[in-house]
Amino acid sequence: MRKKLLLYMGMSALGWMTLAGCTKFLDKQPDDMKTDAMIWNSRKETEAFLYNVYSQIPTDALQQDDPWLGCSDEIDLSWNVYATYNINLGNWNPTTNFYNRYPNYYKAIRASFVFEANVDKCAELSDALKTQYKGEVKFLRAYYYWLLLRQYGPTVLIKELLPIESDWNSMPRSSHDECVEYIVKTLDEAEKDLPLHWQDNKIWLGKPNKVVCRAVKADVLTMAASPQWNGNKEYEAFRNKDGKALVNTTYDENKWKKAADASYEVIKTAESNPETNIRLYKNNENGDGTAFNPYKSVRDLHIKRWNCEIIWGRAGYNPTGWEVHVSPGPNNLGGVGPTQRVVDAFLMNNGRNIDDAASGYVEEGFAATGGPRWNPSNRDVVADRVKMIDELRAGDAWGHWPGDWNMYANREPRFYAAILYNRRIIPQLPADIVKRNYYSTNSAAVKQQDGYGRAELYFGGTSRQSGPYTFFSRTGYLVLKNSDSQSDMRDRIFVNANRHQTLIRYAKVLLDYIEALNEYNPNHPDIQKYWDMIRVRAGVPSVFDVYPQIRGNKDLQREHILTERQIELCFETDRYWTTRRRWLAQSPDDGSPRRKWGDGGRFWGMDINAGNAATNSFAFTDFYKRVSFETRVYDKKMNLFPIPQSEIERNRSLVQNPWW
């Protein structure tokens, strides 16, 4: 161990995620360094080192941090200043270094070994804390390897603290199976030294515990069982320079069983240990004081701090950047646009898909009546305007209004919790007529100031403006999910600006479980049991009541499971990874605006450029025509990020990812 240790930055337990300045993590010059004695003789300094090991966990909040939203098939980002723009146009290669986390993950992995080797020197820490902290860094080591594996594929496994002067050219990539085995083994070791939960010590919410270890393990094994890595013949030539195969191209159904068992271990832990406080969030079970409301439940699980659905999250998360970017102009940036594909994925309120002739879906025309919950108190829309807005913001009123386009009528609660569509009342504004009218057109030709403040996303609409930058949604929609309706986005007053950011939630584990079960035992009763739990909370009927013919049919059930996943986990970065691990991202463009898979080709939305800016209004119907707003470039090589060329040159034993 060298006398001098590389510099670290102290961070609080509640703010351990990536901060500005951490890009030079453990990479300072000698005059900035601290000695061993300065670090390991002080509890404060030792814990600061630990929290800096946490610092490389990335945020997934928006395009500035990660591409998993802007490069998915569910979102378009209006801005061309972020790398997602060039990635979607195919303008990248191993030298562009877009979202290059590769070196920092390895620096953090090395730091985890440094900490583990030295923490026992700190006499100011109890033996119990030393053991716990070792468990934490083992978890972090496994997690960083998992992030490397997920983004770059089979990676170089360094399993011990090696001297800086080691010959890095002699370290080839390990196989995918070897990486999975090591990550799982390290997670198993980590959980032995961690508590079951943090409910009795909430200042440490955000740290790993046994349930977090098990949930990450389930995530790792689900990807390992998926078609990208389980018997994928297209990776036959993916080998090290010595010929070692990096992917097992023989399909192994048992990998799905391992994944299902891992997910069920999380479920069993939650069900048999109520003190962990892990279950699907429902408003009436969490102090709401009213009857069960599916809209409130699916909305609030993302904004109620550390609620029962959160298995792991980032503490001290500030969502203001997200809320500004998703909220409509003219006072916000309003450029995070859902694609028509995800809009079409949402079910009708009877649980049927919109392409089902029995669903009741109507593509065109204006709704003559509102949905069943649009005006639950039967108020006068003029005289009781303020009370109606208050009910809407509280979540007691929801659904389509009379006069909304039929495409958005009678959809399931998750649709209204996730999508801001044209003419919908903007929730994240106070019940102030003046402030709401600020978002409505009042010209000689168009008078729409009625005190409600509806989203005008068409050409010339007030909500399409975004201050001096003229950013706007290119799809004709904005994301509403994870935006607090109690904020005042006219004056940018954020009511819940310091909350958690969800990294793993319980519904995802349930979806992982039923997906894995379906692949090796499609008749397993747990498929319906846990699928129904998600559907009940979402306020829609069981899929087996709506489509009984799919029962036990692996292919049909898979289709509906993946759609359920697309809906339930939309805008949570899951879609990016699901399309790739299922080997569906490269599905070709068949010319249909209703196609369900493929990250290349034409992407569709509403016609935001139709008509006349001076005369367009909510009555303008040409806006509601499906048009292609972008043609993206996607090739199967993009299922993995390229290994940065600088790393290939630094380690001559590295081989580049296929087709790059």
Side-chain angles (χ1 to χ4, degrees):
M1 180 76 183
R2 301 188 310 174
K3 180 64 177 176
K4 295 280 189 175
L5 283 175
L6 302 170
L7 179 71
Y8 62 95
M9 184 171 96
M11 304 174 67
S12 71
L14 294 183
W16 42 256
M17 299 296 265
T18 304
L19 297 178
C22 285
T23 55
K24 297 297 184 182
F25 176 65
L26 297 182
D27 199 23
K28 295 291 185 180
Q29 296 302 310
D31 59 338
D32 290 325
M33 296 177 182
K34 295 187 177 182
T35 65
D36 288 358
M38 292 172 65
I39 297 173
W40 308 117
N41 289 341
S42 164
R43 173 173 179 166
K44 178 182 177 181
E45 300 290 350
T46 299
E47 290 181 333
F49 193 106
L50 169 63
Y51 294 131
N52 204 46
V53 181
Y54 276 91
S55 71
Q56 294 307 304
I57 295 180
T59 59
D60 291 336
L62 197 61
Q63 68 283 358
Q64 297 100 319
D65 303 305
D66 281 306
W68 321 136
L69 282 182
C71 291
S72 73
D73 67 355
E74 62 183 4
I75 283 292
D76 171 68
L77 299 175
S78 297
W79 308 279
N80 61 10
V81 296
Y82 302 116
T84 53
Y85 179 81
N86 282 307
I87 290 175
N88 286 333
L89 295 179
N91 297 331
W92 61 315
N93 58 56
T95 67
T96 50
N97 286 321
F98 292 151
Y99 304 103
N100 181 9
R101 299 287 172 72
Y102 194 94
N104 283 350
Y105 288 155
Y106 274 108
K107 290 173 185 176
I109 288 167
R110 176 175 174 78
S112 75
F113 284 118
V114 171
F115 183 89
E116 187 178 3
N118 288 278
V119 65
D120 285 333
K121 298 175 183 177
C122 185
E124 294 182 3
L125 290 174
S126 68
D127 288 343
L129 270 180
K130 291 174 183 177
T131 298
Q132 176 192 313
Y133 289 167
K134 288 178 185 178
E136 290 179 36
V137 294
K138 285 180 182 177
F139 167 83
L140 291 170
R141 186 182 309 146
Y143 191 69
Y144 290 132
Y145 271 126
W146 161 227
L147 296 180
L148 282 164
L149 182 67
R150 189 174 67 164
Q151 183 174 354
Y152 298 103
T155 194
V156 177
L157 286 179
I158 300 173
K159 301 180 181 180
E160 59 184 348
L161 182 61
L162 298 176
I164 290 292
E165 59 272 14
S166 296
D167 180 11
W168 306 108
N169 286 306
S170 63
M171 298 180 184
R173 302 171 78 161
S174 298
S175 71
H176 194 274
D177 285 349
E178 289 170 337
C179 292
V180 169
E181 181 182 4
Y182 179 75
I183 293 168
V184 167
K185 176 177 177 290
T186 306
L187 288 170
D188 287 342
E189 291 176 358
E191 81 157 79
K192 294 175 183 177
D193 295 330
L194 295 172
L196 182 62
H197 59 83
W198 294 112
Q199 296 301 315
D200 53 356
N201 194 359
K202 294 189 178 182
I203 193 174
W204 279 353
L205 288 173
K207 282 175 171 275
N209 54 43
K210 291 185 188 299
V211 184
V212 174
C213 289
R214 294 169 189 175
V216 173
K217 176 180 175 179
D219 211 1
V220 173
L221 291 174
T222 298
M223 180 166 279
S226 298
Q228 182 180 14
W229 301 112
N230 190 1
N232 188 349
K233 302 294 186 184
E234 295 192 64
Y235 279 154
E236 178 64 40
F238 191 7
R239 297 171 179 268
N240 279 335
K241 293 180 178 180
D242 64 0
K244 177 181 177 178
L246 295 178
V247 180
N248 189 336
T249 57
T250 301
Y251 176 72
D252 182 359
E253 187 179 82
N254 192 54
K255 288 185 177 181
W256 283 113
K257 185 177 187 309
K258 289 180 179 178
D261 289 347
S263 292
Y264 184 66
E265 186 64 28
V266 179
I267 297 168
K268 183 172 64 175
T269 301
E271 291 179 340
S272 59
N273 297 276
E275 69 274 16
T276 62
N277 193 34
I278 297 174
R279 61 188 184 281
L280 291 179
Y281 178 90
K282 293 182 179 179
N283 69 297
N284 59 320
E285 297 175 355
N286 289 275
D288 185 60
T290 61
F292 170 65
N293 179 326
Y295 172 79
K296 263 191 182 181
S297 297
V298 297
R299 182 196 69 176
D300 289 355
L301 76 89
H302 299 287
I303 57 179
K304 297 295 184 183
R305 300 182 189 183
W306 295 110
N307 63 72
C308 61
E309 188 151 340
I310 311 308
I311 292 177
W312 189 32
R314 172 194 174 188
Y317 164 63
N318 188 335
T320 57
W322 170 258
E323 293 189 0
V324 167
H325 282 78
V326 301
S327 295
N331 222 39
N332 300 289
L333 296 180
V336 184
T339 64
Q340 192 66 41
R341 182 178 296 177
V342 69
V343 169
D344 290 344
F346 285 96
L347 309 172
M348 299 297 288
N349 57 15
N350 58 16
R352 294 183 179 273
N353 301 319
I354 67 168
D355 54 3
D356 181 343
S359 69
Y361 174 75
V362 178
E363 177 89 359
E364 299 182 344
F366 296 104
T369 60
R373 294 288 301 179
W374 81 278
N375 188 1
S377 302
N378 197 28
R379 299 186 185 279
D380 186 294
V381 296
V382 176
D384 294 333
R385 176 171 42 208
V386 171
K387 291 181 179 178
M388 292 195 74
I389 292 171
D390 284 339
E391 283 191 337
L392 182 149
R393 297 183 76 212
D396 297 319
W398 52 274
H400 78 277
W401 277 46
D404 285 357
W405 193 247
N406 275 321
M407 183 184 290
Y408 316 128
N410 299 313
R411 305 297 287 270
E412 59 161 306
R414 289 178 294 190
F415 172 78
Y416 299 106
I419 305 293
L420 185 67
Y421 55 83
N422 193 53
R423 197 184 180 274
R424 183 174 178 184
I425 296 170
I426 302 168
Q428 59 269 41
L429 294 174
D432 181 306
I433 293 174
V434 174
K435 290 184 178 181
R436 285 187 168 269
N437 280 341
Y438 178 75
Y439 286 79
S440 301
T441 299
N442 187 35
S443 65
V446 179
K447 296 185 180 299
Q448 293 181 166
Q449 288 188 349
D450 62 359
Y452 278 106
R454 303 173 189 274
E456 300 180 357
L457 301 175
Y458 52 79
F459 184 35
T462 301
S463 299
R464 177 165 157 159
Q465 304 172 35
S466 297
Y469 307 107
T470 62
F471 296 134
F472 52 85
S473 168
R474 300 194 303 162
T475 70
Y477 304 99
L478 287 171
V479 172
L480 190 57
K481 191 174 187 177
N482 200 28
S483 183
D484 197 322
S485 63
Q486 297 305 308
S487 290
D488 174 1
M489 296 309 295
R490 168 62 179 87
D491 297 325
R492 294 195 183 177
I493 300 173
F494 305 95
V495 300
N496 197 6
N498 185 16
R499 63 179 189 257
H500 76 276
Q501 177 187 346
T502 303
L503 298 177
I504 305 174
R505 65 181 177 100
Y506 192 50
K508 180 183 182 302
V509 175
L510 299 184
L511 287 163
D512 285 347
Y513 181 48
I514 64 175
E515 180 183 341
L517 276 181
N518 181 64
E519 295 298 331
Y520 77 92
N521 188 0
N523 288 295
H524 198 295
D526 276 0
I527 294 176
Q528 176 165 0
K529 176 182 177 180
Y530 291 104
W531 198 344
D532 281 358
M533 289 172 62
I534 293 172
R535 286 244 174 167
V536 166
R537 197 267 298 277
V540 291
S542 168
V543 68
F544 296 105
D545 291 340
V546 178
Y547 299 114
Q549 69 274 18
I550 75 168
R551 186 184 298 276
N553 185 308
K554 181 191 297 186
D555 294 336
L556 293 179
Q557 286 184 166
R558 181 193 301 124
E559 180 181 348
H560 284 271
I561 288 170
L562 293 179
T563 298
E564 195 78 50
R565 188 177 194 110
Q566 181 183 15
I567 297 167
E568 177 69 28
L569 301 178
C570 69
F571 318 138
E572 298 179 44
T573 75
D574 181 80
R575 180 68 175 178
Y576 178 98
W577 301 110
T578 295
T579 58
R580 284 150 181 78
R581 69 177 175 82
R582 295 291 332 190
W583 209 240
L584 292 167
Q586 65 268 24
S587 299
D589 184 353
D590 62 3
S592 171
R594 299 282 290 273
R595 72 184 179 116
K596 296 181 179 180
W597 299 102
D599 282 23
R602 286 165 291 180
F603 275 75
W604 302 78
M606 295 289 94
D607 193 349
I608 64 167
N609 296 313
N612 188 310
T615 59
N616 283 351
S617 69
F618 291 134
F620 178 65
T621 59
D622 284 356
F623 167 83
Y624 299 103
K625 305 299 181 185
R626 296 167 184 260
V627 297
S628 174
F629 64 85
E630 181 177 64
T631 298
R632 295 183 180 179
V633 174
Y634 197 88
D635 184 83
K636 62 184 177 181
K637 70 181 181 181
M638 297 178 186
N639 285 298
L640 293 175
F641 267 57
I643 302 294
Q645 187 62 33
S646 57
E647 300 298 327
I648 297 287
E649 293 170 358
R650 183 176 292 120
N651 180 356
R652 296 295 181 179
S653 65
L654 277 180
V655 293
Q656 184 56 270
N657 281 331
W659 310 297
W660 282 102

